[in-house]
Amino acid sequence: MSVKILLLTGLAMLAFAANSLLNRVALSDTTIDPASFTLIRLLAGALFLWLIHAYRHSSKKHRASVGGNWLSALALFIYAAGFSFAYLSLTAATGALLLFAAVQITMMAVALSKGERLTSLQVIGFTLALAGLVVLLLPGVSAPSWQGAVLMLMAGVAWGAYTLRGKGATDPLQTTAGNFLRAVPFGLACWLIWGKTELDVLGVWYAVLSGGLASGVGYAIWYTVLPSLSAMIAATVQLSVPVLAAVGGVLMLSEPVTLRLLVASMAILGGIAMVIGARKVTNSGQ
């Protein structure tokens, strides 16, 4: 792997982790509401992604067309809205861990439902990841809010479904731009029901940064480096996102790191890493 690819991959992971930090700080330190944050994030993401896509096609004779579809856009909206509403009561670290766990477990469950068989090591890893999730959610003093946890798990399932629906897209950037654009009406409906008309200026900027920079530019970088990464590396490197979010939460938001979170993180991330690693070994042996 070249130094350029390594640096770009690192930037993409930092952008993904920044989504958690920006969302959390906006909802905890400003008066912006989650519905407004979601709508602005989707608008900013759609704009930045579309500008990047249009620039890529500026030298071609045909015009850049809108990609994506409404079902994927709905899944994207459910992810974005659940993500924002969950961060009313979750720390950046806990939210990122729950989101990542739900995404990976959803994708594993779909693979199993389609007849994919797990090796003994993968079964152990899958069980370990589920056990870590249970440990994190068990009632107790340091347990996360169950409402926030449910919303973040819902967001993770939606993102997992969105990811699976996007597999095989001929132009992932175009597809993502189109889905962000199509998700805006859902975000608008959500804002009309639960949003506020008076917006916090700093909160708006956080939402723009989340949608335009962390999501828009982050996805653009990720899709640029993805063809240069093996499936194993692409899956494994994403294990860094909850860790980066946790470190950022401690350094920037003064969030505590509890023993429960550490144990759950090791179990969830370790279990998922075992499944991914065992899958690679199995595939290479065939």
Side-chain angles (χ1 to χ4, degrees):
M1 184 188 303
S2 68
V3 174
K4 179 182 177 181
I5 295 298
L6 185 63
L7 290 175
L8 289 175
T9 301
L11 281 176
M13 296 306 102
L14 285 172
F16 295 160
N19 260 328
S20 292
L21 297 173
L22 288 167
N23 211 314
R24 176 59 180 160
V25 72
L27 296 174
S28 62
D29 294 357
T30 77
T31 59
I32 194 170
D33 60 281
S36 298
F37 190 97
T38 299
L39 176 59
I40 296 169
R41 179 187 177 188
L42 291 172
L43 280 168
L47 177 61
F48 274 73
L49 284 165
W50 184 251
L51 287 174
I52 295 170
H53 175 62
Y55 175 77
R56 285 176 54 194
H57 288 264
S58 61
S59 60
K60 299 179 181 180
K61 293 182 179 180
H62 62 82
R63 296 177 61 185
S65 58
V66 176
N69 59 78
W70 287 104
L71 192 56
S72 292
L74 178 60
L76 176 62
F77 161 72
I78 293 173
Y79 149 72
F83 188 86
S84 293
F85 278 89
Y87 270 126
L88 283 173
S89 56
L90 297 179
T91 64
T94 301
L97 182 61
L98 286 170
L99 178 74
F100 179 83
V103 170
Q104 295 298 323
I105 290 174
T106 297
M107 296 178 71
M108 291 177 194
V110 170
L112 288 174
S113 70
K114 292 184 177 180
E116 183 173 325
R117 295 181 180 180
L118 297 182
T119 64
S120 298
L121 186 59
Q122 286 178 312
V123 171
I124 294 173
F126 191 72
T127 304
L128 183 61
L130 289 176
L133 196 56
V134 171
V135 168
L136 181 64
L137 299 178
L138 279 175
V141 176
S142 59
S145 158
W146 70 266
Q147 296 98 327
V150 169
L151 285 168
M152 191 60 83
L153 290 173
M154 180 182 73
V157 171
W159 185 254
Y162 177 83
T163 302
L164 289 169
R165 287 185 56 80
K167 278 192 171 183
T170 55
D171 190 336
L173 188 60
Q174 178 192 31
T175 300
T176 306
N179 285 331
F180 261 82
L181 187 61
R182 294 172 193 271
V184 169
F186 296 118
L188 180 60
C190 178
W191 178 78
L192 290 173
I193 298 172
W194 291 293
K196 298 178 181 178
T197 53
E198 295 183 6
L199 298 178
D200 183 288
V201 175
L202 185 58
V204 169
W205 276 111
Y206 283 138
V208 170
L209 287 173
S210 176
L213 190 62
S215 295
V217 177
Y219 295 158
I221 294 174
W222 182 237
Y223 292 138
T224 299
V225 301
L226 204 52
S228 302
L229 304 177
S230 68
M232 172 63 174
I233 293 176
T236 305
V237 74
Q238 293 179 73
L239 293 171
S240 65
V241 175
V243 178
L244 292 170
V247 172
V250 172
L251 297 178
M252 300 170 63
L253 307 178
S254 300
E255 293 180 349
V257 177
T258 63
L259 179 61
R260 179 200 292 257
L261 180 61
L262 287 174
V263 172
S265 297
M266 288 188 289
I268 293 172
L269 300 180
I272 293 172
M274 288 172 65
V275 174
I276 295 171
R279 180 181 298 173
K280 177 64 176 179
V281 171
T282 301
N283 292 340
S284 63
Q286 292 177 345

